[in-house]
Amino acid sequence: MELSSLTIGSIRESLKSKEYSAVELTREFLKKIATTDKHVGAFLRVRPQALEEAKNVDDRIAAGQPLRALEGVPVAVKDNIVMHGEIATAASKILENFHSVYTATAVSRLQDNGALVIGKTNLDEFAMGASTENSAFQITHNPWNPALVPGGSSGGSAAAVASGQAVIALGSDTGGSIRQPASFCNVVGMKPTYGRVSRYGLIALASSLDQIGPFARTVEDAATVYQVMAGPDQNDATSRRETADDVLAEIHQPIKNMRIGLPKEFFGEGVDPEVAEVVKAAAKKFSELGAKVTEVSLPHSPQALPTYYIVQPAEASSNLARYDGVHYGLSNRAGGSLANLYRQTRAAGFGAETKRRIIIGTFVLSAGYADAYYHQANRMRAILRDEFEQVFTQVDLILSPTSPTPPFPIGARTEDPLTMYLADLLTVSANLTGIPAMSLPAGFVNDLPVGMQLMAPEWGEAMMFRAAHAYQQATDWHVRRPPAVA
Amino acid sequence: MKIDAKTVSDLAKLARLDLRPEEAPVFAAQLPTILEYVGQLMNVTTTITPAPPLVDQPWREDQIEPSAAADDILNQAPDRDERFWRVPSVF
């Protein structure tokens, strides 16, 4: 059984025809993880209970019940997304033994549709990072070259799908944390419109930026997972009432005359010329498919990254104040006073990047500086929103590289935080403005994957998936597999 | 403003965060570069007023429902006294 070639659809067919059972399939995936993960390091924890859950799937099929959208499909879930009664660490020592008392809505929706969670994946601590190197527990290796990072913060989920350890995975994206690892690992990764997928059960990093989204090897599979998760949730006050279009119904429609814009600011300074070339070639392919490709301009987009590195640390400093050693998690009481409980618990429980961002966030919100930094950043967000809205009156989709560079070596950017922050250069705009965005395989530079990023207006996921699917039907970058592991 | 080890230490205090002795000077060296980078926003003059965040939830009746999670939550307490979390003294 070639696990790396399986899709949601092929599993469905095989279960129907009894080529294999859900239990057999789950066993194969658990075996694959057991043999390969010592090299990849994608998983923090495996879920053997997926086998019992697989038995329920087989019982349902035997009883003649109709197959649900994700019946029997093995899914890996980023460890900042919680499941009832199970450990969720957000890759931090401060939550090393934390057991969640509820399950994230996104996960419930997958499970209610037959998906089987086979494990929790590695991430940068509290989703802060672009390489997964900030995990308190382990390094994840890029399946394409183990000396390189898989990207971050959802590096474990991206690597699991790329290496065939899972068919689909969930990640979270605050500034590019699904899209950039998708680009680095040659898989599809997508961030919905803000408010489209419930954040209930996602350990919060930046509440106005975070979204849960899918990883898959094909656009169609990513769209299926998205469809299952999308829609309002009364447990998330920021989730929006817009009903998700049936993206799967639209996905096969041709893209003739679709207008695609290439923003010149996303192909210039700070972007590797070879990466830019790969994406320009993809733009040509879109022209061949009948789309109208033009150049557009987003003049304030160079301000997006500085804006992001004010807003996100500010919100993070507020969200992470809850980790105080009082209610759950690590609790260092040696200091004898409440103040020391807070300070020493957090000193021991948080890694360097987490502390750095809390300090930056505290600074930009502090009296005397809040207007110049935080409020100015919010003004810039409004300017960027207007600018994108303007451009979307001229084009239907925006196309750019996802990452300014191909995957970089483990350890290459850990000394200078700013070099790591620059990895988010092209992805943060979508989070700041709330629009949906995705990355899909577009080619290779020196045998390393390069993804392209599509961005759509708010609620424009259907159009985005349509264009991405059309591209995948005409190309085969996404079919390439990394060198076999073990 | 000058960001030195003392500024970093003061900010850490505000965030209820102790830094290890080796961390404060490292952060003090890194933070000025980061803050200078994000500070470029100050060069943009604008009078735009951002819209308030949108909350789109329908209203519902305030009905009390049992919460099954209470025991699960309390069972994770690092230190508890029946249904209270116990903490070291404030003073």
Side-chain angles (χ1 to χ4, degrees):
Chain A
M1 196 189 290
E2 185 42 69
L3 299 185
S4 297
S5 307
L6 297 183
T7 61
I8 295 170
S10 74
I11 290 173
R12 188 186 196 75
E13 286 314 305
S14 296
L15 289 175
K16 267 205 272 208
S17 70
K18 307 211 185 315
E19 184 187 333
Y20 48 73
S21 67
V23 168
E24 284 167 342
L25 183 67
T26 305
R27 201 170 277 139
E28 285 300 307
F29 275 93
L30 291 174
K31 219 164 51 191
K32 173 118 189 179
I33 296 169
T35 51
T36 60
D37 210 40
K38 50 175 105 54
H39 304 288
V40 182
F43 286 87
L44 288 173
R45 219 163 308 111
V46 175
R47 280 185 92 247
Q49 52 267 60
L51 281 168
E52 291 155 44
E53 293 161 6
K55 175 110 195 4
N56 292 339
V57 168
D58 286 333
D59 289 345
R60 278 181 62 104
I61 296 175
Q65 304 226 31
L67 265 58
R68 298 164 294 179
L70 298 172
E71 203 72 62
V73 178
V75 55
V77 173
K78 188 176 182 182
D79 207 30
N80 63 349
I81 299 171
V82 303
M83 295 179 70
H84 179 260
E86 301 184 29
I87 291 178
T89 62
S92 178
K93 287 204 151 45
I94 218 166
L95 291 177
E96 192 165 7
N97 290 305
F98 169 71
H99 289 75
S100 177
V101 301
Y102 67 103
T103 295
T105 299
V107 173
S108 301
R109 288 180 181 177
L110 294 195
Q111 290 181 310
D112 289 346
N113 278 275
L116 302 167
V117 180
I118 52 174
K120 305 300 288 304
T121 54
N122 199 21
L123 61 151
D124 282 297
E125 184 180 7
F126 286 109
M128 300 186 200
S131 66
T132 309
E133 293 172 286
N134 292 324
S135 168
F137 302 118
Q138 67 197 44
I139 296 281
T140 301
H141 299 265
N142 190 317
W144 292 85
N145 180 332
L148 308 183
V149 302
S153 59
S154 312
S157 284
V161 170
S163 62
Q165 295 170 325
V167 176
I168 55 178
L170 290 190
S172 70
D173 190 309
T174 304
S177 286
I178 290 175
R179 293 162 283 154
Q180 186 252 30
S183 175
F184 278 17
C185 292
N186 203 55
V187 294
V188 178
M190 177 258 179
K191 179 199 86 70
T193 304
Y194 181 82
R196 180 75 99 181
V197 172
S198 172
R199 291 184 303 110
Y200 182 71
L202 171 63
I203 294 176
L205 167 55
S207 307
S208 78
L209 303 170
D210 295 342
Q211 274 289 281
I212 292 175
F215 285 97
R217 290 184 291 268
T218 66
V219 171
E220 195 162 6
D221 278 3
T224 307
V225 178
Y226 159 81
Q227 191 82 64
V228 165
M229 296 193 297
D233 178 20
Q234 63 180 20
N235 288 320
D236 175 1
T238 62
S239 84
R240 297 282 300 276
R241 284 190 250 192
E242 267 72 1
T243 15
D245 309 318
D246 186 349
V247 304
L248 292 172
E250 281 195 46
I251 204 170
H252 298 285
Q253 288 176 25
I255 61 167
K256 196 155 160 43
N257 296 326
M258 199 183 260
R259 301 165 301 162
I260 298 179
L262 269 49
K264 59 180 201 263
E265 296 83 3
F266 283 63
F267 286 85
E269 181 166 338
V271 180
D272 189 317
E274 289 177 297
V275 166
E277 279 317 300
V278 166
V279 180
K280 290 201 185 124
K284 236 193 229 101
K285 178 61 75 178
F286 276 115
S287 292
E288 288 166 26
L289 293 169
K292 303 242 173 308
V293 178
T294 54
E295 188 182 82
V296 294
S297 176
L298 291 160
H300 281 91
S301 54
Q303 304 294 342
L305 193 64
T307 301
Y308 175 78
Y309 274 102
I310 291 173
V311 173
Q312 180 253 83
E315 295 190 9
S317 71
S318 178
N319 278 326
L320 269 62
R322 68 193 64 177
Y323 304 109
D324 58 11
V326 173
H327 303 93
Y328 49 77
L330 188 69
S331 185
N332 279 16
R333 304 201 168 216
S337 71
L338 185 63
N340 281 336
L341 171 66
Y342 295 154
R343 286 153 46 175
Q344 289 167 16
T345 296
R346 292 155 67 78
F350 289 146
E353 185 58 40
T354 299
K355 285 184 186 162
R356 193 162 24 239
R357 297 212 193 174
I358 290 173
I359 290 173
I360 293 170
T362 306
F363 176 77
V364 303
L365 288 172
S366 64
Y369 297 99
D371 193 71
Y373 287 94
Y374 182 69
H375 296 300
Q376 179 73 346
N378 278 328
R379 288 187 280 267
M380 185 55 64
R381 275 183 91 165
I383 291 174
L384 286 166
R385 255 190 103 95
D386 286 349
E387 204 156 269
F388 271 84
E389 232 171 77
Q390 244 306 303
V391 167
F392 280 126
T393 61
Q394 307 158 32
V395 296
D396 300 307
L397 294 176
I398 292 171
L399 172 65
S400 79
T402 302
S403 163
T405 66
F408 47 86
I410 292 169
R413 298 195 184 192
T414 44
E415 289 304 301
D416 181 353
L418 200 50
T419 59
M420 190 69 84
Y421 298 167
L422 287 168
D424 298 336
L425 187 72
L426 309 174
T427 45
V428 294
S429 301
N431 304 86
L432 290 170
T433 57
I435 62 177
M438 69 188 291
S439 181
L440 61 151
F444 288 78
V445 167
N446 301 325
D447 297 323
L448 296 176
V450 170
M452 65 167 142
Q453 173 174 239
L454 286 168
M455 291 184 268
E458 231 185 15
W459 319 117
E461 285 90 341
M463 192 150 44
M464 199 172 68
F465 278 122
R466 215 171 104 208
H469 182 70
Y471 181 84
Q472 273 201 342
Q473 298 299 100
T475 57
D476 62 5
W477 307 117
H478 63 292
V479 174
R480 282 216 218 168
R481 298 282 165 251
V485 179
Chain B
M1 89 168 290
K2 185 171 187 313
I3 313 276
D4 55 17
K6 173 149 194 332
T7 322
V8 170
S9 200
D10 289 347
L11 288 169
K13 267 207 192 67
L14 279 177
R16 301 294 183 266
L17 194 58
D18 270 354
L19 294 178
R20 278 170 244 142
E22 67 275 15
E23 280 176 330
V26 172
F27 288 9
Q30 293 169 337
L31 255 53
T33 325
I34 297 170
L35 290 173
E36 193 190 319
Y37 176 74
V38 301
Q40 59 182 284
L41 280 195
M42 298 200 236
N43 300 329
V44 178
T45 356
T46 174
T47 51
I48 200 171
T49 320
L54 179 65
V55 174
D56 199 20
Q57 291 292 318
W59 291 97
R60 62 175 174 83
E61 286 307 307
D62 186 12
Q63 282 164 340
I64 299 178
E65 285 165 35
S67 171
D71 285 315
D72 286 343
I73 294 170
L74 283 167
N75 284 337
Q76 300 217 56
D79 190 7
R80 71 189 272 202
D81 181 352
E82 294 181 35
R83 296 190 86 70
F84 293 87
W85 284 278
R86 188 157 47 200
V87 296
S89 71
V90 176
F91 301 109

